Amino acid sequence: LANFRYFSKSYLGFYSAAISENSESRNEWGFLLNLSHRFSRKLGLDLYFDYFHFPWLKFNVDAPSSGFELSSRLNYRWNRKMDFYFNYRIKSKEENTYSFNYTNTLMRVWKQQFRIHLNKTFNSKFKMSLRLEGNLVKIENWSSGFLFYFNLQYQPNTQWVFNYRLNLFSS
């Protein structure tokens, strides 16, 4: 799937729901590329690339700006009861930075995220999932955080579901 978009700064669509980086469909042009490939029945790769440019001012950005986003997901399914995926995403865009002389200049903001996720179904009543997620953010300095969770689900019948979740995180 490939998509090129152009929204004028004066375009106004009240109920538009177009593919865009902004929440409104205005003041943006960009290019989106989405690829999906199945190497086998068990292994697949999904890629997403989006380049966007804002030719006019917008919220928290006092000059024309641009950015990109790249996301990839590798899926592996061992069998009907166990699957795994690895997700990596990087996003970069320009935002205001405030200096001591009260002038706004644009600075590039970087965000990187990764996720490793495993699902396992033991039988019709027990399911388990594990996830490790991390992120790196650079606004002026690099900062990082992570999340680990373990989830156990027990469903004795169709009316009741019991969940136990253990979370460890750092921000």
Side-chain angles (χ1 to χ4, degrees):
L1 171 72
N3 182 338
F4 177 78
R5 61 190 181 273
Y6 172 77
F7 304 116
S8 170
K9 67 178 180 174
S10 59
Y11 174 72
L12 184 60
F14 289 110
Y15 301 109
S16 64
I19 297 172
S20 68
E21 177 68 17
N22 276 334
S23 57
E24 295 180 341
S25 300
R26 67 172 13 163
N27 181 35
E28 179 179 349
W29 67 264
F31 179 75
L32 168 84
L33 182 63
N34 193 354
L35 301 170
S36 182
H37 182 70
R38 299 291 165 245
F39 298 102
S40 67
R41 285 183 27 218
K42 295 184 174 192
L43 183 64
L45 179 66
D46 299 317
L47 296 171
Y48 168 94
F49 178 75
D50 187 19
Y51 174 80
F52 44 88
H53 178 74
F54 308 107
W56 195 246
L57 312 178
K58 61 182 217 141
F59 177 74
N60 203 22
V61 180
D62 293 344
S65 63
S66 63
F68 72 91
E69 180 177 355
L70 173 69
S71 180
S72 63
R73 177 176 281 196
L74 182 66
N75 300 298
Y76 187 76
R77 187 172 192 97
W78 274 280
N79 52 38
R80 286 184 291 145
K81 296 187 174 193
M82 192 157 126
D83 62 83
F84 161 86
Y85 71 83
F86 173 75
N87 197 42
Y88 176 74
R89 180 176 167 222
I90 183 168
K91 186 173 186 176
S92 174
K93 63 182 182 178
E94 295 171 315
E95 292 182 358
N96 283 347
T97 181
Y98 302 102
S99 60
F100 293 109
N101 59 3
Y102 302 105
T103 59
N104 296 338
T105 57
L106 292 184
M107 179 174 58
R108 187 146 301 268
V109 175
W110 292 88
K111 295 179 183 176
Q112 293 185 55
Q113 300 170 314
F114 77 89
R115 177 184 293 172
I116 299 170
H117 188 89
L118 175 71
N119 288 320
K120 171 73 173 151
T121 302
F122 294 104
N123 54 38
S124 62
K125 296 184 180 193
F126 284 101
K127 295 179 184 176
M128 176 196 71
S129 61
L130 296 167
R131 177 179 291 178
L132 176 63
E133 191 165 326
N135 59 32
L136 287 168
V137 177
K138 182 184 179 205
I139 297 174
E140 289 184 7
N141 299 316
W142 285 100
S143 62
S144 63
F146 78 91
L147 164 75
F148 171 78
Y149 83 67
F150 168 77
N151 193 59
L152 188 60
Q153 179 180 322
Y154 174 63
Q155 187 173 3
N157 55 42
T158 58
Q159 297 175 340
W160 291 89
V161 176
F162 298 100
N163 274 311
Y164 171 77
R165 179 172 283 182
L166 173 68
N167 289 321
L168 300 171
F169 61 91
S170 170
S171 59

